[in-house]
Amino acid sequence: GEAKRTGCVVFFNPGIRAQLTRKSTLAQDLRMAIANRQLFIVCQPIVSAADHQLASFEVLLRWTHPELGPISPAEFIPVAEESGSIVELGDWVIGQAIAAAAALLPRAADGRVKVAVNVSLHQLLQDDFADKLLLATSQGFAAENLIIELTESVFHENEIDMVKQVLFRIKQLGVEIHIDDFGTGYSSFSRICQLPIDAIKIDKAFIQSADEKNTAIIEAVVFIAQRLKIRVIAEGIETVEQAQRMQALGVNELQGYLFGKPQLPGTTV
Ligand code: C2E
Ligand code: CA
Ligand code: CA
Ligand code: CA
């Protein structure tokens, strides 16, 4: 089987062995990372393309490992997904995001702060996920100010019925639903139509290389999204030229280092 084969590879290839060791170390240490206060969130502004007014903040998880130093979420989130600790981590992030909204309030123009949280498929498919959101948004923080960002993994054929059910429940609460990293995986417009999606985030790969093909893809996404009354958000905006180009293409909101790096929620700019 798969496990046995992996075992052989580990034995013969020291590079892969080191990788597996790091992975299992991370999986192990993640379990205690919340209790040991090694995790924290940072928040990155998302602005309106038209006037660059603040629209929301995306909440991103950070981990400073005591021996290994800062670990990228691109590395530890997949580990948490595999080892199952993503549920506890993800719930913790939602709580932190809601708490951070108060600290972010001074940076909002209209006395309202929306926070966008990344949610893994496994987390979304917990039996009580919608109940948890209901509880989290029933104590002074409006559900309308919460956004969940889901990757295209929600379109996997096997889970689509369950996903549909939970998303319609979440939508009923007032929570916004965004599709992240659009264009990189399983996206299809017929699937977008079946789910209560408020916005699509175009992956930064399409923005950062401004060739003819990527432009055509962005134009097509904007065209169809407008027809479906779905907003389009472009991420990875680093230059004024990129921002102008995205606005000209009809993108509604922009996110990237040009408008602000991910920062601790209490930081003033
Ligand atoms: P993502 O959701 O696509 O988040 C956007 C990533 O782009 C973030 O990387 C952000 O720091 C980075 N970014 C923002 N602006 C720019 C820019 O102008 N240029 C470039 N080159 N990059 C930019 P980060 O923070 O390393 O997060 C990586 C991924 O880890 C996220 O990608 C998301 O998929 C995942 N992730 C982070 N926090 C969480 C979490 O709490 N839960 C879950 N399930 N996943 C998370
Ligand atoms: Ca995201
Ligand atoms: Ca993204
Ligand atoms: Ca991404």
Side-chain angles (χ1 to χ4, degrees):
E2 206 58 44
K4 242 188 201 145
R5 276 220 310 273
T6 311
C8 290
V9 174
V10 173
F11 187 74
F12 288 115
N13 184 326
I16 291 177
R17 183 178 60 193
Q19 251 175 43
L20 285 183
T21 306
R22 180 173 163 100
K23 226 173 126 181
S24 49
T25 303
L26 296 185
Q28 189 99 44
D29 295 350
L30 256 183
R31 287 194 200 108
M32 291 304 290
I34 294 177
N36 291 340
R37 298 174 181 275
Q38 296 162 5
L39 294 170
F40 58 99
I41 59 159
V42 288
C43 303
Q44 184 178 34
I46 300 176
V47 303
S48 157
D51 56 11
H52 297 184
Q53 285 264 21
L54 183 71
S56 60
F57 285 97
E58 179 173 4
V59 171
L60 295 156
L61 190 54
R62 294 290 177 265
W63 182 20
T64 307
H65 188 282
E67 284 109 39
L68 301 170
I71 318 265
S72 163
E75 181 176 13
F76 74 78
I77 293 290
V79 172
E81 280 169 344
E82 244 177 81
S83 65
S85 48
I86 191 65
V87 171
E88 195 195 343
L89 274 189
D91 289 351
W92 182 82
V93 168
I94 292 171
Q96 292 288 304
I98 290 173
L104 292 167
L105 211 53
R107 290 169 69 179
D110 57 352
R112 174 178 186 212
V113 169
K114 297 179 88 171
V115 287
V117 178
N118 293 286
V119 171
S120 294
L121 182 63
H122 188 58
Q123 195 188 347
L124 181 79
L125 292 178
Q126 299 165 81
D127 291 332
D128 56 350
F129 183 69
D131 294 324
K132 282 176 177 171
L133 286 191
L134 178 62
L135 186 67
T137 58
S138 62
Q139 296 155 347
F141 178 88
E144 286 72 18
N145 291 338
L146 183 65
I147 298 166
I148 62 169
E149 292 192 6
L150 303 165
T151 63
E152 297 173 320
S153 61
V154 297
F155 298 129
H156 280 179
E157 209 55 69
N158 316 347
E159 328 273 10
I160 195 75
D161 291 329
M162 301 241 297
V163 166
K164 217 184 265 186
Q165 238 182 350
V166 65
L167 289 190
F168 276 98
R169 251 206 91 193
I170 289 168
K171 192 65 211 148
Q172 259 182 350
L173 302 178
V175 173
E176 271 195 39
I177 301 165
H178 294 188
I179 296 297
D180 206 352
D181 298 345
F182 192 80
T184 57
Y186 294 81
S187 44
S188 90
F189 284 112
S190 69
R191 293 211 169 109
I192 291 271
C193 291
Q194 294 168 26
L195 301 174
I197 305 298
D198 297 288
I200 290 171
K201 293 185 85 169
I202 303 179
D203 192 71
K204 53 179 170 282
F206 295 97
I207 284 109
Q208 292 182 342
S209 121
D211 60 17
E212 227 171 291
K213 277 183 192 161
N214 286 345
T215 304
I217 289 169
I218 296 166
E219 280 172 349
V221 170
V222 168
F223 178 80
I224 295 172
Q226 279 174 351
R227 295 291 297 266
L228 299 175
K229 301 198 164 50
I230 291 172
R231 276 146 47 220
V232 178
I233 303 168
E235 63 180 17
I237 304 288
E238 295 178 357
T239 68
V240 173
E241 289 69 32
Q242 286 168 345
Q244 286 171 344
R245 214 174 123 253
M246 288 307 129
Q247 202 217 337
L249 288 171
V251 168
N252 304 95
E253 292 170 27
L254 308 173
Q255 175 181 11
Y257 298 159
L258 180 66
F259 302 103
K261 291 203 170 174
Q263 285 185 315
L264 289 171
T267 317
T268 45
V269 277

